[in-house]
Amino acid sequence: MNMNANEAVAKPGLRLNRIKLVSQIFRILIGVLVVALTLVSGLICLASIVYALNGGWPAVGKVHATSFSASVSFSPHQSYAWPFSIPLPVFLVGAVQLGLLGSGLIVLNRLFALYERGDFFKTGNIRCIKWLGLIVMGVSITQTLLELMAHQNHLDGSGLVFGFLVVFIAWIMDEGRKIQEEQELTV
Amino acid sequence: MNANGLSPKPVSRMNRIQKVSKFVRAVLLATLGLQVLVMVVGLPLVVLYALNRIFQGAYPSQAAFMNCSTLLASPFIFIVTLNFFRLFSRFNNGQLFDAQTVRHLESAGKWWIVLGIIQVIFQSFEAYVFHPQDINISGSGIVAGLVVFFIGWVFREAQELQEEQELTV
C-alpha cells in the first residue's frame, strides 16, 4: 500500500522530468540553429563588405579567392549565386520570410521554455501555438509570392493548411480552457 | 445550468467549437474523397503513361517523375488527412482533449513525419536524376510533423500527469 503511494508520487515527477528534458533538448537545438544562422549571415555580410570595398576578391597568397562560391535560396526557384544580384521585390519578400522564420524560432523557444517550467494549458502556451500557426501561414504566403515572382505555377499550399490547422487547434485549446474555468466558477 | 451540467456560456462556446469543427470536418471529408479519386484514377493513368514512354524508348521526363512521386506519396497524405478527419470528428462530438482525441493528433504527427521523409527521398532522387548541380530539398514536412507530434505528446503527458496527481491527492 505504502509502495503504491510512493509510486504514485514518483510517477508524475518522472513525467514532468521527461517533458522538461525533451523541451531542453529542443531549446538547445533551436539555440544551435540560431547560432549557425547568425554565423552564416555574418560571414555573408562580411564577405559582401570585403567584396564591395575591394571591387572584387583580394588575392590571398597563391590561391585567388575568386574560387569562393555561395548561393542564397529564398524558395525552390529563387536561388542566386555569388556575387548576388537580387531584384528588390524578391529581396524584400525574402527578408520578410527570414524575419518570420526568426520570430518563429523565438516563439518556439518561448513555448519550450514554458513547457520546461511545467506550464501546459496556460494562456501563454496557447498564444505561442497560435502565433506559430500564423507564422507558418505567413511563411507559406511569402513562399508562394516568391514562386509567383519566378513565374512558376507549381504552387504548394500545404504550409497554409498546416498553419490554419495549428491556429484552429490553438483556438479549440483556448475555448476548452475557458469552458473549464467557467465551469469551475459555476460550481 | 442545463441538462449536461454546463451553464449557458460554456454551452455557447461548445456549440461554436462544434459548428466550426463540423465545417472543417466536411472540408476534410471532401479532401479525402478527392484523394481516393486521385489514387484510383491517377495510379493506372501514370502506370500506362510510364509504360507508353518505356515502349517508345523515351527518356523519363521530370514532370512524369513528379506525378509518379506525388501519387506514390498520396496514400500517406490520405492517412494524415484521415487522422485529422477523426480528430475533428471528435471535436465535433464535444470530446475536446481526451485520450483518444490526443492519440489521433499524435498519429497525424507521426504519419506527417513519415510523409516528410518520403518527400525528402523523392526530392533527393529527383534532384540527383534531373538536376545534379541544383539540389533543392525541403524538410518542411518533417518539421510540421514533429511540431504536431510534439504538441500531441505534451497533451498526453500533461493529461496523464493530471490524472496521476488527482489519484495522489
Side-chain angles (χ1 to χ4, degrees):
Chain A
M1 193 72 178
N2 191 25
M3 176 90 167
N4 283 344
N6 285 340
E7 274 177 12
V9 175
K11 237 181 164 185
L14 271 175
R15 273 189 202 287
L16 208 58
N17 283 345
R18 200 160 53 191
I19 295 173
K20 278 181 186 177
L21 185 74
V22 175
S23 303
Q24 254 170 2
I25 291 169
F26 272 106
R27 283 188 77 195
I28 290 167
L29 284 176
I30 291 168
V32 169
L33 202 67
V34 168
V35 170
L37 277 175
T38 313
L39 272 175
V40 170
S41 309
L43 275 174
I44 289 175
C45 281
L46 201 72
S48 305
I49 291 166
V50 170
Y51 189 86
L53 287 177
N54 294 309
W57 283 108
V60 183
K62 282 184 180 175
V63 183
H64 209 259
T66 41
S67 57
F68 174 82
S69 76
S71 72
V72 61
S73 177
F74 296 107
S75 74
H77 297 97
Q78 290 280 11
S79 293
Y80 296 90
W82 179 268
F84 306 126
S85 165
I86 306 165
L88 188 65
V90 174
F91 180 76
L92 288 176
V93 179
V96 170
Q97 193 183 40
L98 204 66
L100 283 170
L101 286 172
S103 41
L105 283 177
I106 293 167
V107 173
L108 210 56
N109 187 50
R110 198 177 143 75
L111 180 68
F112 288 127
L114 286 168
Y115 283 147
E116 212 180 311
R117 223 186 291 160
D119 295 341
F120 300 110
F121 298 106
K122 298 244 169 91
T123 327
N125 301 49
I126 294 164
R127 204 177 296 145
C128 281
I129 295 174
K130 219 178 259 183
W131 272 110
L132 270 179
L134 289 172
I135 287 168
V136 170
M137 283 168 89
V139 170
S140 177
I141 290 168
T142 50
Q143 190 92 357
T144 307
L145 277 174
L146 287 165
E147 285 295 279
L148 284 173
M149 282 176 192
H151 305 291
Q152 291 294 320
N153 51 14
H154 186 80
L155 304 173
D156 183 16
S158 59
L160 210 61
V161 175
F162 170 64
F164 170 75
L165 280 175
V166 171
V167 171
F168 188 69
I169 289 168
W171 176 71
I172 288 182
M173 277 170 74
D174 203 21
E175 292 292 304
R177 185 187 57 81
K178 283 175 189 164
I179 289 173
Q180 204 172 10
E181 274 178 11
E182 282 162 2
Q183 272 179 316
E184 278 166 12
L185 278 174
T186 314
V187 172
Chain B
M1 293 277 259
N2 69 355
N4 297 328
L6 291 173
S7 53
K9 224 176 167 187
V11 166
S12 75
R13 278 191 199 286
M14 190 57 96
N15 285 342
R16 204 162 46 194
I17 292 173
Q18 283 175 329
K19 215 180 275 178
V20 182
S21 301
K22 202 175 179 177
F23 172 73
V24 178
R25 195 175 162 268
V27 173
L28 287 170
L29 187 65
T31 315
L32 281 173
L34 208 69
Q35 281 169 3
V36 169
L37 198 74
V38 166
M39 281 191 285
V40 170
V41 179
L43 208 59
L45 276 178
V46 167
V47 170
L48 281 175
Y49 177 78
L51 283 175
N52 187 32
R53 282 191 75 89
I54 289 166
F55 286 132
Q56 283 176 348
Y59 190 74
S61 73
Q62 191 172 359
F65 180 85
M66 275 171 72
N67 287 338
C68 279
S69 59
T70 309
L71 263 173
L72 287 173
S74 57
F76 298 96
I77 302 172
F78 179 82
I79 297 171
V80 173
T81 318
L82 185 69
N83 273 300
F84 275 116
F85 173 75
R86 284 176 177 163
L87 177 78
F88 283 99
S89 298
R90 290 190 75 82
F91 286 158
N92 187 31
N93 294 337
Q95 292 150 320
L96 292 190
F97 285 102
D98 60 3
Q100 189 60 40
T101 311
V102 172
R103 211 167 293 142
H104 287 314
L105 190 65
E106 260 185 289
S107 192
K110 270 184 213 167
W111 282 105
W112 207 330
I113 295 170
V114 173
L115 176 67
I117 293 168
I118 285 167
Q119 280 173 336
V120 165
I121 292 169
F122 282 141
Q123 281 167 356
S124 311
F125 195 69
E126 185 189 340
Y128 179 73
V129 173
F130 298 101
H131 294 287
Q133 300 290 316
D134 179 26
I135 297 172
N136 212 324
I137 297 155
S138 158
S140 58
I142 300 173
V143 176
L146 265 175
V147 170
V148 171
F149 177 73
F150 185 77
I151 292 173
W153 178 73
V154 168
F155 276 161
R156 188 166 50 84
E157 290 287 317
Q159 250 173 11
E160 284 170 11
L161 193 75
Q162 206 171 10
E163 278 168 20
E164 280 162 7
Q165 274 173 339
E166 278 165 12
L167 277 174
T168 315
V169 171

